[in-house]
PDB file of all heavy atoms in Angstrom:
ATOM      1  N   MET V  59      87.636 117.136  79.207  1.00 66.00           N
ATOM      2  CA  MET V  59      88.835 116.342  79.493  1.00 66.00           C
ATOM      3  C   MET V  59      89.206 116.504  80.959  1.00 66.00           C
ATOM      4  O   MET V  59      89.317 117.616  81.475  1.00 66.00           O
ATOM      5  CB  MET V  59      89.984 116.784  78.604  1.00 66.00           C
ATOM      6  CG  MET V  59      91.225 115.974  78.884  1.00 66.00           C
ATOM      7  SD  MET V  59      92.511 116.367  77.743  1.00 66.00           S
ATOM      8  CE  MET V  59      91.931 115.517  76.307  1.00 66.00           C
ATOM      9  N   ASN V  60      89.386 115.368  81.645  1.00 66.00           N
ATOM     10  CA  ASN V  60      89.661 115.386  83.082  1.00 66.00           C
ATOM     11  C   ASN V  60      91.103 115.794  83.368  1.00 66.00           C
ATOM     12  O   ASN V  60      92.024 115.040  83.118  1.00 66.00           O
ATOM     13  CB  ASN V  60      89.366 113.998  83.677  1.00 66.00           C
ATOM     14  CG  ASN V  60      89.689 113.946  85.168  1.00 66.00           C
ATOM     15  OD1 ASN V  60      89.929 114.974  85.796  1.00 66.00           O
ATOM     16  ND2 ASN V  60      89.690 112.758  85.711  1.00 66.00           N
ATOM     17  N   ASN V  61      91.254 116.984  83.896  1.00 67.00           N
ATOM     18  CA  ASN V  61      92.575 117.501  84.258  1.00 67.00           C
ATOM     19  C   ASN V  61      92.715 117.564  85.778  1.00 67.00           C
ATOM     20  O   ASN V  61      93.784 117.772  86.298  1.00 67.00           O
ATOM     21  CB  ASN V  61      92.716 118.926  83.703  1.00 67.00           C
ATOM     22  CG  ASN V  61      93.940 119.064  82.829  1.00 67.00           C
ATOM     23  OD1 ASN V  61      94.704 118.132  82.672  1.00 67.00           O
ATOM     24  ND2 ASN V  61      94.123 120.231  82.269  1.00 67.00           N
ATOM     25  N   LYS V 120     103.059 105.206  79.197  1.00 97.00           N
ATOM     26  CA  LYS V 120     101.747 104.937  78.591  1.00 97.00           C
ATOM     27  C   LYS V 120     101.846 105.258  77.106  1.00 97.00           C
ATOM     28  O   LYS V 120     102.171 106.398  76.742  1.00 97.00           O
ATOM     29  CB  LYS V 120     100.673 105.809  79.241  1.00 97.00           C
ATOM     30  CG  LYS V 120     100.643 105.700  80.741  1.00 97.00           C
ATOM     31  CD  LYS V 120      99.770 106.808  81.323  1.00 97.00           C
ATOM     32  CE  LYS V 120     100.001 106.945  82.796  1.00 97.00           C
ATOM     33  NZ  LYS V 120      99.257 108.039  83.400  1.00 97.00           N
ATOM     34  N   THR V 121     101.556 104.278  76.274  1.00 97.00           N
ATOM     35  CA  THR V 121     101.722 104.482  74.829  1.00 97.00           C
ATOM     36  C   THR V 121     100.599 105.324  74.221  1.00 97.00           C
ATOM     37  O   THR V 121     100.723 105.791  73.099  1.00 97.00           O
ATOM     38  CB  THR V 121     101.794 103.119  74.105  1.00 97.00           C
ATOM     39  OG1 THR V 121     100.675 102.341  74.535  1.00 97.00           O
ATOM     40  CG2 THR V 121     103.079 102.382  74.432  1.00 97.00           C
ATOM     41  N   ASN V 122      99.506 105.499  74.962  1.00 94.00           N
ATOM     42  CA  ASN V 122      98.388 106.295  74.427  1.00 94.00           C
ATOM     43  C   ASN V 122      97.884 107.306  75.459  1.00 94.00           C
ATOM     44  O   ASN V 122      96.747 107.235  75.904  1.00 94.00           O
ATOM     45  CB  ASN V 122      97.235 105.361  74.012  1.00 94.00           C
ATOM     46  CG  ASN V 122      96.791 104.500  75.180  1.00 94.00           C
ATOM     47  OD1 ASN V 122      97.474 104.416  76.202  1.00 94.00           O
ATOM     48  ND2 ASN V 122      95.640 103.858  75.050  1.00 94.00           N
ATOM     49  N   PRO V 123      98.763 108.224  75.892  1.00 91.00           N
ATOM     50  CA  PRO V 123      98.339 109.189  76.916  1.00 91.00           C
ATOM     51  C   PRO V 123      97.277 110.148  76.373  1.00 91.00           C
ATOM     52  O   PRO V 123      97.112 110.252  75.144  1.00 91.00           O
ATOM     53  CB  PRO V 123      99.639 109.957  77.203  1.00 91.00           C
ATOM     54  CG  PRO V 123     100.395 109.888  75.932  1.00 91.00           C
ATOM     55  CD  PRO V 123     100.095 108.540  75.337  1.00 91.00           C
ATOM     56  N   ALA V 124      96.609 110.848  77.291  1.00 84.00           N
ATOM     57  CA  ALA V 124      95.622 111.849  76.853  1.00 84.00           C
ATOM     58  C   ALA V 124      96.333 112.923  76.026  1.00 84.00           C
ATOM     59  O   ALA V 124      97.451 113.330  76.371  1.00 84.00           O
ATOM     60  CB  ALA V 124      94.991 112.478  78.090  1.00 84.00           C
ATOM     61  N   PRO V 125      95.727 113.361  74.931  1.00 85.00           N
ATOM     62  CA  PRO V 125      96.379 114.391  74.107  1.00 85.00           C
ATOM     63  C   PRO V 125      96.421 115.742  74.820  1.00 85.00           C
ATOM     64  O   PRO V 125      95.665 115.973  75.759  1.00 85.00           O
ATOM     65  CB  PRO V 125      95.477 114.471  72.875  1.00 85.00           C
ATOM     66  CG  PRO V 125      94.173 113.902  73.285  1.00 85.00           C
ATOM     67  CD  PRO V 125      94.428 112.937  74.415  1.00 85.00           C
ATOM     68  N   LYS V 126      97.298 116.609  74.388  1.00 82.00           N
ATOM     69  CA  LYS V 126      97.338 117.991  74.901  1.00 82.00           C
ATOM     70  C   LYS V 126      96.569 118.836  73.895  1.00 82.00           C
ATOM     71  O   LYS V 126      97.055 119.082  72.782  1.00 82.00           O
ATOM     72  CB  LYS V 126      98.786 118.496  74.973  1.00 82.00           C
ATOM     73  CG  LYS V 126      99.541 118.000  76.173  1.00 82.00           C
ATOM     74  CD  LYS V 126      99.395 118.967  77.352  1.00 82.00           C
ATOM     75  CE  LYS V 126     100.155 118.406  78.545  1.00 82.00           C
ATOM     76  NZ  LYS V 126      99.632 118.804  79.818  1.00 82.00           N
ATOM     77  N   ILE V 127      95.382 119.248  74.293  1.00 78.00           N
ATOM     78  CA  ILE V 127      94.516 119.969  73.360  1.00 78.00           C
ATOM     79  C   ILE V 127      95.198 121.244  72.844  1.00 78.00           C
ATOM     80  O   ILE V 127      95.156 121.561  71.670  1.00 78.00           O
ATOM     81  CB  ILE V 127      93.174 120.323  74.044  1.00 78.00           C
ATOM     82  CG1 ILE V 127      92.470 119.044  74.504  1.00 78.00           C
ATOM     83  CG2 ILE V 127      92.274 121.151  73.139  1.00 78.00           C
ATOM     84  CD1 ILE V 127      92.079 118.096  73.405  1.00 78.00           C
ATOM     85  N   PHE V 132     104.564 118.950  77.731  1.00 92.00           N
ATOM     86  CA  PHE V 132     104.694 117.528  77.423  1.00 92.00           C
ATOM     87  C   PHE V 132     103.367 116.807  77.611  1.00 92.00           C
ATOM     88  O   PHE V 132     102.554 117.209  78.442  1.00 92.00           O
ATOM     89  CB  PHE V 132     105.719 116.880  78.371  1.00 92.00           C
ATOM     90  CG  PHE V 132     107.127 117.382  78.173  1.00 92.00           C
ATOM     91  CD1 PHE V 132     107.770 118.086  79.182  1.00 92.00           C
ATOM     92  CD2 PHE V 132     107.814 117.122  76.997  1.00 92.00           C
ATOM     93  CE1 PHE V 132     109.070 118.539  79.013  1.00 92.00           C
ATOM     94  CE2 PHE V 132     109.116 117.569  76.820  1.00 92.00           C
ATOM     95  CZ  PHE V 132     109.750 118.287  77.831  1.00 92.00           C
ATOM     96  N   LEU V 133     103.207 115.694  76.914  1.00 91.00           N
ATOM     97  CA  LEU V 133     102.104 114.783  77.216  1.00 91.00           C
ATOM     98  C   LEU V 133     102.434 114.125  78.554  1.00 91.00           C
ATOM     99  O   LEU V 133     103.600 113.839  78.820  1.00 91.00           O
ATOM    100  CB  LEU V 133     102.001 113.697  76.151  1.00 91.00           C
ATOM    101  CG  LEU V 133     101.697 114.140  74.727  1.00 91.00           C
ATOM    102  CD1 LEU V 133     101.758 112.948  73.782  1.00 91.00           C
ATOM    103  CD2 LEU V 133     100.322 114.781  74.650  1.00 91.00           C
ATOM    104  N   ASN V 134     101.422 113.861  79.355  1.00 90.00           N
ATOM    105  CA  ASN V 134     101.684 113.165  80.621  1.00 90.00           C
ATOM    106  C   ASN V 134     101.697 111.670  80.349  1.00 90.00           C
ATOM    107  O   ASN V 134     100.727 110.972  80.596  1.00 90.00           O
ATOM    108  CB  ASN V 134     100.611 113.518  81.650  1.00 90.00           C
ATOM    109  CG  ASN V 134     100.769 114.940  82.106  1.00 90.00           C
ATOM    110  OD1 ASN V 134     101.876 115.416  82.307  1.00 90.00           O
ATOM    111  ND2 ASN V 134      99.657 115.647  82.230  1.00 90.00           N
ATOM    112  N   SER V 135     102.815 111.184  79.824  1.00 95.00           N
ATOM    113  CA  SER V 135     102.816 109.788  79.385  1.00 95.00           C
ATOM    114  C   SER V 135     103.588 108.867  80.323  1.00 95.00           C
ATOM    115  O   SER V 135     103.702 107.680  80.043  1.00 95.00           O
ATOM    116  CB  SER V 135     103.398 109.680  77.969  1.00 95.00           C
ATOM    117  OG  SER V 135     104.744 110.078  77.960  1.00 95.00           O
ATOM    118  N   ILE V 165      97.268 102.737  78.474  1.00 95.00           N
ATOM    119  CA  ILE V 165      96.502 102.934  79.718  1.00 95.00           C
ATOM    120  C   ILE V 165      95.413 101.867  79.766  1.00 95.00           C
ATOM    121  O   ILE V 165      95.166 101.187  78.762  1.00 95.00           O
ATOM    122  CB  ILE V 165      95.886 104.353  79.806  1.00 95.00           C
ATOM    123  CG1 ILE V 165      94.981 104.626  78.589  1.00 95.00           C
ATOM    124  CG2 ILE V 165      96.968 105.419  79.927  1.00 95.00           C
ATOM    125  CD1 ILE V 165      94.136 105.875  78.737  1.00 95.00           C
TER     126      ILE V 165
END
Side-chain angles (χ1 to χ4, degrees):
M59 180 174 284
N60 178 11
N61 235 357
K120 307 168 195 177
T121 51
N122 57 347
K126 281 269 179 208
I127 301 297
F132 294 115
L133 298 175
N134 289 320
S135 64
I165 57 169

